[in-house]
Amino acid sequence: MAACGRVRRMFRLSAALQLLLIAAAGAQKFQGQGGHSQGQGPGANILNLVGPAGGGVQAVQPLPQLPHSPQLQQQPQQPPQQPQPPFPAGGPSARRGGAGPGGPGGGWKLAEEEFCREDVTRVCPKHTWSNNLAVLECLQDVREPENEISSDCNHLLWNYKLNLTTDPKFESVAREVCKSTISEIKECADEPVGKGYLVSCLVDHRGNITEYQCHQYITKMTAIIFSDYRLICGFMDDCKNDINILKCGSIRLGEKDAHSQGEVVSCLEKGLVKEAEEREPKTQVSELCKKAILRVAELSSDDFHLDRHLYFACRDDRERFCENTQAGEGRVYKCLFNHKFEESMSEKCREALTTRQKLIAQDYKVSYSLAKSCKSDLKKYRCNVENLPRSREARLSYLLMCLESAVHRGRQVSSECQGEMLDYRRMLMEDFSLSPEIILSCRGEIEHHCSGLHRKGRTLHCLMKVVRGEKGDLGMNCQQALQTLIQETDPGADYRIDRALNEACESVIQTACKHIRSGDPMILSCLMEHLYTEKMVEDCEHRLLELQYFISRDWKLDPVLYRKCQGDASRLCHTHGWNETNELMMTPGAVFSCLYRHAYRTEEQGRRLSRECRAEVQRILHQRAMDVKLDPALQDKCLIDLGKWCSEKTETGQELECLQDHLDDLAVECRDIVGNLTELESEDIQIEALLMRACEPIIQNFCHDVADNQIDSGDLMECLIQNKHQKDMNEKCAIGVTHFQLVQMKDFRFSYKFKMACKEDVLKLCPNIKKKVDVVICLSTTVRNDTLQEVKEHRVSLKCRKQLRVEELEMTEDIRLEPDLYEACKSDIKNYCSAVQYGNAQIIECLKENKKQLSTRCHQKVFKLQETEMMDPELDYTLMRVCKQMIKRFCPEADSKTMLQCLKQNKNSELMDPKCKQMITKRQITQNTDYRLNPVLRKACKADIPKFCHGILTKAKDDSELEGQVISCLKLRYADQRLSSDCEDQIRIIIQESALDYRLDPQLQLHCSEEISSLCAEEAAAQEQTGQVEECLKVNLLKIKTEMCKKEVLNMLKESKADIFVDPVLHTACALDIKHHCAAITPGRGRQMSCLMEALEDKRVRLQPECKKRLNDRIEMWSYAAKVAPADGFSDLAMQVMTSPSKNYILSVISGSICILFLIGLMCGRITKRVTRELKDR
């Protein structure tokens, strides 16, 4: 075997050093065995070889002169010819039986050498002068310019160290001192004798040395060797060319300190890490030198004194930050790493620390504590398999990924190893420059967007912000590098790994998440729960969303989700192990999308998630739905649409709402994704986390029962809709619920309960119909037709009919929920209802009140709506809302179709609520404008209307209102007593109602509006209408100038002759007289009115004064009416006679006249017959 041929054997260290170290450490063994025994034992033999003879000056004379500027090309290829030892064998120490050089027994001393005496006196403490090794350490650790040692002393130290590290004769002492250690380490015991390999092997295994003296000897020895790269065996040979290429031979021109050669190693280390950070490096370090550099770094990993460049760069910082940190086992390194970004940390030390961290990233063994703590775990989980390339298995990222995979699979990893992993994951997140992939892939983005943000993870979060689209665009390579780094560091498992997030969210965690153990993965979940709440601060919000962006793209980065769902994901979504690369080919977020699709499957659909996985998927879905950027598929497919339609929608939750609003305008792929998400929301509205927060008071007061259900199934949203107009409802909640209702109208699938109840009916009866409103119309039309035709079995299933009723009722609340009506009336809403708010059917009510002014299209739509509402009053939202309590009181068992009829019958009850009464009157006015708006009348008079009012129907245009013309026509026929009994009953009710309130007679209002305002203003202004306006018009009949108005008043008089009940004033005045004199007379067809007229003519009967007065007034009115309104035909004339108070007189006159005419006819007939006979006789 060639000397120093293997990388692990970098040092050939002489046994002389072993003895010297033992002496310096107080090697009691040798002192005890022969302290003054005149050279007894191995110590004495060795001293014979190294003890100085008579003084050191003569010994130094033959030293070769080294160049002042250590240019590599000026240095010899081989170490300088070994000079005469500076302390020849047989020196005083041996003769006096001393303990060795620098020992208490005296001997040759560095401090007494002429070339170094002044430097030692000036630099080193006095108590060290007697110990050569202490003096050596003191002098070689000097770096301050004012304490610079002389060149001659430097040469003396160099030769002294060279002699110590090249004499193979002292290996036997190492075997003596480390006897038990060598026997335990088989590899070292097998080393050949006399070649210097033993000490090299002991250095390799010094982490396993438990023997105190042996460990001290190895530690001190390496400190000497690491002071100069030329003393590191094999290093010079392996890296000679690289030193020339990288120009590392002269670190500082004019450098006189031979011990500053640690700078050469530092230069090579920088060249190594720079190569990893360049895509096409200009210079490349050879493989042999790479191994040598990393091996040196590994061997210096336990004691920071061994990294000479870092030691000198960080001496002051060590005193400042790590004064109480004991050297050894990498403790000082870790302490300095933890303070790397402190403001008072020197830039030179920070740079040296960064270089060392970059080496750790390339080879985890450069970290002593990590390699030691995780050694058994790495072996246990096969993270250092021999057949893998060393460059891969040694990388810190590979180690972290392999061990994190074991942790996530529930395997046991030692707490010490997990602690080390946490430290180094945090280190990678703090400083992006430690990840060569980030530098390679993101260099341009960092310079353009994130310059000057190097410290404490700010650069990484800046890049994350760019990826989220908040500061520009990021290349795919950079984005992938970031995703890989997030997976390596796994901050989802412990938020403290992300220092920027930890610092930004500290106050939120202390207030909102203090109940959760520090470092628990649920801290991130807690922060997400409080996103956009009062407890959240802006900086924390940004850092949290930036991290969640990447976690949302890889389901494994959420440790709780992975733990609960790894079985389901493997079974349903074909995933692999935690750190398998197979999933890299999947679309970002694909696994989570697969999981939440299965989370909402029904039992009938099969292949559902486990209970705990489903709950976790729902929890995450609720949290991420607040930001579209946390849904990778949505952001990817909808990027163009977001820019096109939603560029101004930047507030929380607005982007998804905007996409839902423009659903029909979106690209196909985007529309599908938004549609699927909206469909999920309809089943589980808690996905709308912001809406849930806004509606929390309503949920607690009215919907807590359904909110507590583990499975929502649309019940919660249905409850919110039903309670949307409660007093406790706040504006945000109402707006959110209404928006969801509007979105639901775009597709019937967006109403979960409706979809589940009616999907089979829709497929069968309404195929190819998508919009919910169209589906509702289709199904409700089918239900109505089946009901009218009285079919035995409805085509629409019972469960669908029930849910259909719910949907129909919900749609009546807001005009926007009926898109056709809303579109037709947009301009009218702007013109007549601009001050009216949406919701509570207020806009619809406003349009009804302004119906005469509406555009034709809008008027037609409103009329159709009213027709539907009158057929099914339960769909009249305003009526049902205003009269809710009265319905419970008067009509608890009434059918939905007869609800208005029931309310009308109880309208004048003393217990009737005034607001409800007013609303009933409004609906009566509406009904009387057109017979089609009165289903009961329409059914009762279906034969009479075409028979008597055919001319009106012929003239009327389609979809135009008849303004009460048909009802007026039927009223006239009622007066003529020509209607069918059913129709007559309904018309009588209408006449009675309109006689009490002129507003219920549309024709009267239409033709007499001026007369009412001029002649009867006071009566019209009365709060309670009891027929005063009609009476006023009758009294002022002579003053009415308008012919049409006069005709309407005369018609009223004509109607009152037919039935006293339609004349409320007269009926009230004569109520007692009817009871006394006409009780036996059947009401209707003018019979009771005739009875009163006969009683008026009968002088034996005494009527009430008021009744008598009113009857006389009516007689005068009827007489006037007969004059100004002659009969239109024989039938009208006959009716006038039959209804006249002088009917008997008129009939007597007519009968007498007929008799006289008959007699005259007879007489004329006889004369004619006689004349004819006379003519024949002639």
Side-chain angles (χ1 to χ4, degrees):
M1 181 187 296
C4 309
R6 288 180 291 174
V7 175
R8 67 176 184 82
R9 296 186 177 115
M10 291 193 176
F11 317 109
R12 290 190 62 214
L13 305 173
S14 77
L17 180 60
Q18 303 168 28
L19 183 62
L20 292 171
L21 291 167
I22 293 168
Q28 290 86 353
K29 176 179 177 181
F30 290 98
Q31 291 178 4
Q33 288 178 349
H36 297 282
S37 61
Q38 301 297 328
Q40 300 286 324
N45 294 331
I46 294 169
L47 292 173
N48 288 334
L49 295 172
V50 298
V57 178
Q58 292 80 4
V60 174
Q61 295 302 324
L63 289 175
Q65 294 297 315
L66 298 177
H68 289 294
S69 180
Q71 296 287 348
L72 188 64
Q73 55 270 31
Q74 297 173 353
Q75 295 173 356
Q77 294 297 323
Q78 300 295 330
Q81 183 68 33
Q82 181 171 335
Q84 184 69 24
F87 33 95
S93 176
R95 289 192 298 271
R96 291 192 297 269
W108 181 84
K109 295 181 177 59
L110 272 175
E112 296 176 356
E113 286 296 326
E114 179 182 354
F115 292 147
C116 290
R117 187 182 302 128
E118 182 184 348
D119 295 309
V120 171
T121 305
R122 177 167 47 86
V123 174
C124 301
K126 189 172 183 180
H127 68 271
T128 63
W129 294 355
S130 61
N131 190 313
N132 287 343
L133 291 181
V135 171
L136 178 62
E137 283 190 67
C138 169
L139 293 177
Q140 74 178 11
D141 287 350
V142 170
R143 184 58 68 92
E144 294 83 358
E146 62 272 15
N147 290 331
E148 185 176 359
I149 60 176
S150 67
S151 176
D152 289 337
C153 184
N154 266 325
H155 284 294
L156 176 65
L157 295 177
W158 159 256
N159 281 278
Y160 178 64
K161 290 187 289 184
L162 187 62
N163 286 336
L164 292 178
T165 58
T166 55
D167 194 335
K169 296 179 181 179
F170 303 102
E171 188 175 297
S172 59
V173 178
R175 292 186 178 276
E176 181 68 26
V177 176
C178 298
K179 182 184 296 183
S180 60
T181 300
I182 294 171
S183 64
E184 292 173 1
I185 305 174
K186 186 176 182 300
E187 188 177 348
C188 296
D190 295 341
E191 292 290 358
V193 179
K195 294 189 177 183
Y197 296 158
L198 174 64
V199 178
S200 175
C201 179
L202 289 173
V203 170
D204 275 2
H205 292 86
R206 72 182 188 278
N208 298 324
I209 297 176
T210 56
E211 194 175 357
Y212 176 74
Q213 292 176 349
C214 183
H215 188 275
Q216 286 293 99
Y217 139 64
I218 293 294
T219 301
K220 291 290 183 182
M221 180 176 59
T222 51
I224 293 173
I225 292 173
F226 270 74
S227 65
D228 196 316
Y229 78 97
R230 291 170 297 183
L231 298 178
I232 302 173
C233 180
F235 189 88
M236 179 68 181
D237 293 335
D238 290 339
C239 294
K240 177 175 59 179
N241 293 332
D242 300 278
I243 292 172
N244 283 326
I245 292 171
L246 295 172
K247 299 181 180 178
C248 295
S250 177
I251 302 303
R252 291 193 296 271
L253 294 176
E255 178 63 66
K256 297 179 182 180
D257 186 359
H259 307 293
S260 68
Q261 293 301 310
E263 300 283 358
V264 175
V265 179
S266 172
C267 172
L268 290 171
E269 289 174 344
K270 290 177 181 177
L272 179 62
V273 298
K274 185 178 180 182
E275 178 186 329
E277 294 170 359
E278 292 181 353
R279 204 172 297 279
E280 296 179 1
K282 296 179 181 178
T283 56
Q284 293 184 336
V285 181
S286 66
E287 287 300 318
L288 279 177
C289 188
K290 280 181 184 177
K291 293 178 180 178
I293 293 169
L294 289 174
R295 188 59 181 152
V296 168
E298 289 177 19
L299 293 171
S300 63
S301 63
D302 65 333
D303 189 349
F304 97 112
H305 292 87
L306 304 183
D307 188 330
R308 303 304 293 171
H309 172 71
L310 188 145
Y311 169 74
F312 285 117
C314 297
R315 271 195 306 181
D316 294 340
D317 298 285
R318 189 267 170 97
E319 294 301 318
R320 186 180 302 114
F321 298 112
C322 309
E323 182 180 3
N324 299 321
T325 303
Q326 186 178 354
E329 298 189 351
R331 286 186 288 266
V332 176
Y333 285 128
K334 288 191 69 174
C335 174
L336 290 171
F337 288 160
N338 291 335
H339 292 87
K340 176 180 166 183
F341 290 116
E342 297 286 345
E343 293 294 333
S344 53
M345 172 70 74
S346 67
E347 197 61 42
K348 190 174 182 181
C349 179
R350 185 180 291 120
E351 183 181 340
L353 290 172
T354 300
T355 299
R356 184 150 195 98
Q357 287 176 322
K358 290 179 179 180
L359 291 175
I360 293 173
Q362 291 197 31
D363 184 355
Y364 73 90
K365 293 181 182 178
V366 177
S367 169
Y368 178 87
S369 56
L370 180 64
K372 180 182 178 182
S373 300
C374 296
K375 183 176 181 180
S376 60
D377 296 293
L378 289 169
K379 185 176 181 180
K380 182 178 180 181
Y381 299 114
R382 299 175 60 83
C383 297
N384 51 359
V385 182
E386 293 300 329
N387 59 3
L388 290 175
R390 173 181 170 77
S391 59
R392 176 187 169 188
E393 73 166 48
R395 287 182 66 85
L396 176 63
S397 59
Y398 178 80
L399 173 143
L400 292 175
M401 293 277 281
C402 181
L403 292 179
E404 283 167 20
S405 175
V407 172
H408 285 295
R409 293 198 310 269
R411 305 293 191 270
Q412 190 66 35
V413 174
S414 67
S415 58
E416 295 83 1
C417 181
Q418 289 202 48
E420 289 295 325
M421 289 168 60
L422 181 67
D423 289 339
Y424 284 97
R425 283 150 63 191
R426 184 187 293 122
M427 179 187 82
L428 291 174
M429 280 295 289
E430 276 188 351
D431 191 347
F432 76 94
S433 66
L434 305 184
S435 303
E437 295 83 1
I438 296 291
I439 296 177
L440 280 171
S441 305
C442 303
R443 182 178 281 111
E445 287 84 351
I446 292 172
E447 291 176 357
H448 188 259
H449 298 291
C450 308
S451 58
L453 298 172
H454 181 75
R455 300 181 179 183
K456 301 181 182 180
R458 292 176 189 151
T459 303
L460 285 177
H461 270 277
C462 172
L463 290 172
M464 292 179 189
K465 190 173 184 179
V466 177
V467 172
R468 273 177 54 83
E470 297 179 20
K471 291 182 66 175
D473 295 325
L474 203 68
M476 284 305 299
N477 290 338
C478 181
Q479 188 168 339
Q480 185 58 50
L482 278 172
Q483 188 74 45
T484 302
L485 177 62
I486 298 297
Q487 187 176 6
E488 291 168 1
T489 55
D490 196 17
D494 190 335
Y495 72 96
R496 296 171 298 179
I497 292 169
D498 190 340
R499 181 170 178 176
L501 174 70
N502 189 13
E503 291 182 356
C505 297
E506 186 176 2
S507 62
V508 183
I509 294 170
Q510 292 300 320
T511 55
C513 310
K514 58 184 178 183
H515 60 286
I516 303 176
R517 177 179 57 84
S518 180
D520 194 289
M522 291 305 293
I523 289 283
L524 280 181
S525 179
C526 173
L527 291 173
M528 287 297 292
E529 292 289 343
H530 290 86
L531 197 62
Y532 307 122
T533 64
E534 294 179 356
K535 292 183 179 180
M536 180 59 64
V537 296
E538 184 178 2
D539 198 27
C540 176
E541 177 185 307
H542 291 318
R543 301 296 84 77
L544 179 62
L545 287 175
E546 287 156 10
L547 177 61
Q548 284 290 342
Y549 178 90
F550 289 89
I551 293 178
S552 67
R553 276 147 180 79
D554 188 346
W555 75 290
K556 297 175 296 188
L557 297 182
D558 188 319
V560 181
L561 176 68
Y562 184 79
R563 185 177 71 249
K564 293 184 178 181
C565 294
Q566 56 181 321
D568 295 286
S570 176
R571 176 170 55 92
L572 301 172
C573 309
H574 311 294
T575 60
H576 302 275
W578 192 86
N579 63 337
E580 292 289 332
T581 57
N582 306 57
E583 293 177 29
L584 295 177
M585 303 303 294
M586 290 187 176
T587 306
V591 176
F592 185 70
S593 296
C594 167
L595 289 173
Y596 78 62
R597 283 197 303 273
H598 286 88
Y600 290 93
R601 282 178 176 265
T602 61
E603 292 182 5
E604 293 79 11
Q605 292 172 317
R607 296 171 67 83
R608 298 190 70 185
L609 301 182
S610 61
R611 183 183 296 273
E612 65 172 5
C613 178
R614 181 172 191 228
E616 187 62 22
V617 168
Q618 287 180 326
R619 176 186 68 80
I620 294 173
L621 194 59
H622 295 169
Q623 293 173 355
R624 293 182 183 173
M626 291 186 285
D627 191 328
V628 295
K629 295 183 178 69
L630 300 184
D631 188 330
L634 181 66
Q635 191 191 26
D636 180 45
K637 301 298 183 185
C638 297
L639 192 62
I640 296 175
D641 290 297
L642 282 167
K644 184 176 181 180
W645 305 107
C646 311
S647 57
E648 297 180 359
K649 304 291 184 179
T650 56
E651 295 296 323
T652 306
Q654 282 189 341
E655 287 177 312
L656 180 57
E657 288 184 3
C658 171
L659 290 174
Q660 290 172 332
D661 290 340
H662 292 88
L663 187 66
D664 296 333
D665 304 318
L666 303 179
V668 176
E669 289 182 329
C670 178
R671 188 190 313 142
D672 291 342
I673 290 175
V674 175
N676 291 336
L677 183 57
T678 309
E679 193 172 349
L680 284 182
E681 286 181 352
S682 70
E683 180 179 356
D684 183 7
I685 192 58
Q686 295 187 53
I687 292 175
E688 282 273 14
L690 295 175
L691 177 61
M692 290 299 96
R693 290 176 190 170
C695 296
E696 188 173 354
I698 292 292
I699 294 172
Q700 292 300 320
N701 292 337
F702 302 100
C703 309
H704 60 275
D705 293 338
V706 293
D708 294 337
N709 293 342
Q710 188 173 9
I711 301 175
D712 183 0
S713 300
D715 294 324
L716 184 54
M717 176 51 73
E718 188 173 287
C719 176
L720 287 172
I721 292 171
Q722 291 170 357
N723 293 279
K724 189 166 74 167
H725 297 290
Q726 294 287 348
K727 292 181 180 178
D728 297 340
M729 176 62 73
N730 59 70
E731 185 180 2
K732 281 187 178 180
C733 180
I735 291 173
V737 172
T738 301
H739 175 266
F740 194 77
Q741 286 181 279
L742 295 174
V743 171
Q744 285 182 324
M745 303 311 296
K746 297 177 182 291
D747 195 319
F748 82 96
R749 296 178 301 123
F750 298 165
S751 300
Y752 179 75
K753 298 189 78 171
F754 183 47
K755 175 187 72 175
M756 298 307 294
C758 296
K759 58 183 178 182
E760 294 177 1
D761 302 273
V762 172
L763 289 173
K764 181 174 65 176
L765 301 169
C766 311
N768 304 320
I769 298 179
K770 183 179 179 182
K771 289 188 176 181
K772 179 181 173 181
V773 63
D774 296 332
V775 172
V776 169
I777 292 172
C778 170
L779 292 176
S780 58
T781 302
T782 305
V783 171
R784 185 174 69 247
N785 292 339
D786 289 350
T787 304
L788 293 175
Q789 295 171 13
E790 298 180 350
V791 296
K792 291 183 178 180
E793 187 175 346
H794 277 268
R795 287 175 287 172
V796 180
S797 63
L798 179 61
K799 65 176 182 179
C800 181
R801 293 203 302 272
K802 289 181 178 179
Q803 190 59 36
L804 182 62
R805 166 58 51 168
V806 174
E807 302 300 331
E808 288 176 329
L809 294 176
E810 288 179 1
M811 287 169 59
T812 61
E813 182 267 334
D814 194 317
I815 191 172
R816 293 172 295 181
L817 300 179
E818 301 196 45
D820 290 344
L821 175 63
Y822 182 56
E823 288 298 322
C825 296
K826 266 188 175 179
S827 59
D828 298 280
I829 293 171
K830 185 178 180 181
N831 293 334
Y832 306 112
C833 308
S834 57
V836 180
Q837 292 185 344
Y838 288 97
N840 247 343
Q842 295 178 97
I843 296 289
I844 294 176
E845 200 62 26
C846 171
L847 292 173
K848 290 176 182 177
E849 291 173 359
N850 294 276
K851 191 164 61 171
K852 292 182 179 179
Q853 287 80 38
L854 300 180
S855 62
T856 304
R857 185 167 171 239
C858 179
H859 189 285
Q860 291 171 352
K861 292 290 183 182
V862 172
F863 179 77
K864 285 290 183 185
L865 174 66
Q866 289 179 315
E867 190 175 1
T868 303
E869 290 177 348
M870 292 304 176
M871 291 179 66
D872 190 352
E874 197 175 19
L875 299 177
D876 188 338
Y877 184 88
T878 307
L879 176 69
M880 301 306 292
R881 177 177 60 84
V882 174
C883 296
K884 184 176 181 180
Q885 297 302 321
M886 296 300 101
I887 291 171
K888 290 180 179 179
R889 174 175 293 173
F890 296 110
C891 312
E893 298 180 359
D895 181 67
S896 62
K897 303 285 192 294
T898 60
M899 197 76 71
L900 180 58
Q901 197 70 15
C902 173
L903 289 172
K904 283 158 62 174
Q905 291 170 2
N906 294 277
K907 172 183 170 184
N908 296 315
S909 170
E910 293 180 356
L911 298 177
M912 177 58 71
D913 176 64
K915 289 184 178 179
C916 179
K917 184 176 182 179
Q918 185 179 4
M919 184 54 60
I920 295 169
T921 302
K922 280 187 176 182
R923 295 303 178 255
Q924 286 180 297
I925 294 171
T926 300
Q927 282 189 324
N928 290 348
T929 58
D930 197 303
Y931 77 97
R932 291 170 291 183
L933 301 180
N934 191 334
V936 179
L937 174 67
R938 187 176 185 177
K939 183 177 180 181
C941 301
K942 62 181 178 180
D944 301 86
I945 291 172
K947 179 179 179 181
F948 300 112
C949 311
H950 179 72
I952 298 172
L953 297 178
T954 305
K955 294 178 182 178
K957 296 180 181 178
D958 292 338
D959 297 326
S960 62
E961 282 193 62
L962 302 175
E963 299 293 344
Q965 295 178 61
V966 172
I967 293 178
S968 293
C969 167
L970 293 174
K971 284 179 180 180
L972 292 175
R973 298 303 174 264
Y974 171 79
D976 296 342
Q977 300 179 2
R978 298 169 63 185
L979 299 177
S980 62
S981 58
D982 290 341
C983 185
E984 186 176 297
D985 291 340
Q986 293 302 317
I987 290 297
R988 183 188 306 113
I989 294 171
I990 292 174
I991 294 173
Q992 288 174 353
E993 291 171 346
S994 58
L996 288 171
D997 191 340
Y998 76 98
R999 295 171 298 175
L1000 299 183
D1001 189 337
Q1003 288 292 305
L1004 183 66
Q1005 267 199 301
L1006 178 65
H1007 299 302
C1008 297
S1009 57
E1010 294 183 6
E1011 285 74 6
I1012 292 173
S1013 59
S1014 59
L1015 300 174
C1016 310
E1018 186 176 343
E1019 291 81 355
Q1023 188 173 3
E1024 189 78 15
Q1025 290 293 322
T1026 55
Q1028 305 99 315
V1029 174
E1030 289 85 343
E1031 189 66 20
C1032 171
L1033 289 173
K1034 292 173 184 177
V1035 171
N1036 293 283
L1037 180 59
L1038 298 176
K1039 297 180 181 179
I1040 295 174
K1041 305 298 183 185
T1042 310
E1043 287 300 321
M1044 291 304 294
C1045 178
K1046 188 181 291 185
K1047 183 178 179 181
E1048 288 299 322
V1049 176
L1050 292 172
N1051 287 339
M1052 279 196 300
L1053 290 170
K1054 185 177 179 181
E1055 292 160 9
S1056 65
K1057 287 169 70 178
D1059 197 332
I1060 193 172
F1061 285 97
V1062 302
D1063 191 337
V1065 175
L1066 180 61
H1067 183 265
T1068 303
C1070 298
L1072 287 175
D1073 297 295
I1074 293 172
K1075 185 178 180 180
H1076 291 156
H1077 306 294
C1078 307
I1081 306 299
T1082 305
R1085 296 189 178 271
R1087 288 185 285 266
Q1088 287 188 337
M1089 181 65 77
S1090 297
C1091 173
L1092 284 176
M1093 298 303 285
E1094 290 174 359
L1096 180 62
E1097 292 177 1
D1098 191 344
K1099 295 183 179 180
R1100 294 173 298 172
V1101 177
R1102 291 189 61 185
L1103 298 176
Q1104 293 292 325
E1106 183 65 20
C1107 178
K1108 190 174 182 179
K1109 178 179 180 299
R1110 292 293 181 184
L1111 281 172
N1112 288 323
D1113 290 341
R1114 292 297 183 269
I1115 292 171
E1116 291 181 11
M1117 292 177 187
W1118 292 332
S1119 300
Y1120 178 74
K1123 294 177 182 177
V1124 299
D1128 292 334
F1130 181 78
S1131 59
D1132 284 347
L1133 178 61
M1135 185 57 62
Q1136 285 185 12
V1137 171
M1138 294 303 295
T1139 57
S1140 171
S1142 305
K1143 178 180 67 173
N1144 295 335
Y1145 172 76
I1146 295 171
L1147 289 175
S1148 300
V1149 172
I1150 293 173
S1151 299
S1153 301
I1154 292 172
C1155 290
I1156 293 171
L1157 289 173
F1158 180 72
L1159 291 173
I1160 293 173
L1162 286 176
M1163 290 176 63
C1164 292
R1166 287 174 182 271
I1167 295 169
T1168 307
K1169 188 175 181 182
R1170 187 181 302 152
V1171 172
T1172 305
R1173 186 177 296 167
E1174 287 178 354
L1175 290 173
K1176 284 181 179 181
D1177 291 342
R1178 288 180 185 177

